[in-house]
Amino acid sequence: DAVADYVANGFKGNEKGASVFAGTCSACHGNDGKGIDMVAPNIRSYDSELVVNVIENGKKGAIGTMPKMTVLNKKQEQAVAAYVQSISK
């Protein structure tokens, strides 16, 4: 049912994506995805493909390195990406 709701919602941010983001991403990227100075960048401009790629592979940047998030499954990755897109608008 959760997957059907996610698809029916046009792959847009939903409660599941918000929940996963809050528990996995917000400590570094902030509740609003705008980042925290010298901790993590603003990710609100990232498209869904980039969000999923960084979750799966990690990313080395000017601030430091984000490790890949092996604790998330594919559906959670997609939900987080959709959530990031929804807060970008």
Side-chain angles (χ1 to χ4, degrees), residues 28-30 33-36 38-44 46 59 63:
C28 295
H29 293 286
K34 291 183 178 178
I36 299 172
M38 302 308 295
V39 176
N42 180 340
I43 58 172
R44 291 168 61 111
Y46 288 17
K59 184 175 188 294
I63 298 172

Side-chain angles (χ1 to χ4, degrees), residues 21 24-31 33-37 39-42 66:
F21 185 88
T24 309
C25 313
S26 66
C28 295
H29 293 286
N31 293 330
K34 291 183 178 178
I36 299 172
D37 287 340
V39 176
N42 180 340
M66 179 182 144

Side-chain angles (χ1 to χ4, degrees), residues 46-69:
Y46 288 17
D47 64 26
S48 292
E49 185 178 342
L50 180 56
V51 171
V52 170
N53 185 285
V54 171
I55 289 171
E56 291 178 347
N57 301 299
K59 184 175 188 294
K60 184 170 177 78
I63 298 172
T65 301
M66 179 182 144
K68 59 184 174 182
M69 294 281 140

